[in-house]
Amino acid sequence: MEYDQLPNPESLQKAIQAMSEHGVKVTLFENKESALKQLQGMIQPGATLMTGASVTLEQIGFIPLLMSGKHPWKYLKTEILGETDPDKRTILRRHATLADFYIGSVNGIAETGEIVIASATGSQIPAYAYTGRNVIWV
């Protein structure tokens, strides 16, 4: 398997169908610009949001947008990164799993709809599995 190649259309459709059957809403985009535009439209102004580490979010321009501060949301990671007290930072990280929107990506999706998530710190797992009200994977 080549990891720098897109899946063939048949495999992609099988995965989309299986994920849909598991209750995951799936939208396929032609390019990163349309994905970024759709993502921005999914998040209500004033909402709190947190992101998991994601190369995909970097590549579509979402992380640079968040870091610029030129958006209508409360990005909780900014507060976390600005906190110097380790104990307070831990508390902020815990609270961030309760953000209105938790946005990240996954490492793999099988044709059967199973999703693979690997994490260096495990920080996004609680939000993905349980606490996230609105989880969006890009």
Side-chain angles (χ1 to χ4, degrees):
M1 171 174 244
E2 298 293 326
Y3 294 102
D4 61 348
Q5 301 292 316
L6 294 174
N8 67 56
E10 182 181 310
S11 292
L12 187 58
Q13 287 307 313
K14 283 181 182 178
I16 289 171
Q17 179 66 33
M19 290 178 65
S20 297
E21 290 171 2
H22 286 98
V24 177
K25 181 181 176 191
V26 179
T27 306
L28 187 62
F29 297 100
E30 290 294 320
N31 55 50
K32 64 183 182 181
E33 293 82 12
S34 60
L36 177 59
K37 184 177 179 180
Q38 177 73 18
L39 178 57
Q40 289 175 273
M42 295 172 73
I43 309 164
Q44 293 82 20
T48 58
L49 69 91
M50 183 63 180
T51 57
S54 170
V55 171
T56 305
L57 293 179
E58 276 286 342
Q59 290 175 335
I60 69 167
F62 192 64
I63 298 298
L65 171 65
L66 293 174
M67 297 309 288
S68 77
K70 297 176 183 175
H71 55 79
W73 316 296
K74 182 177 181 186
Y75 185 39
L76 300 178
K77 191 173 272 187
T78 304
E79 189 176 352
I80 293 167
L81 294 174
E83 180 55 63
T84 57
D85 181 294
D87 293 331
K88 288 180 183 176
R89 184 180 277 185
T90 297
I91 291 168
L92 291 172
R93 287 187 188 282
R94 287 182 182 151
H95 287 290
T97 65
L98 301 173
D100 297 324
F101 289 84
Y102 205 99
I103 304 165
S105 56
V106 299
N107 300 92
I109 302 170
E111 287 182 359
T112 55
E114 284 96 3
I115 298 167
V116 177
I117 300 168
S119 175
T121 65
S123 62
Q124 73 272 36
I125 303 298
Y128 285 178
Y130 183 71
T131 61
R133 262 187 270 168
N134 299 284
V135 176
I136 301 171
W137 293 319
V138 179

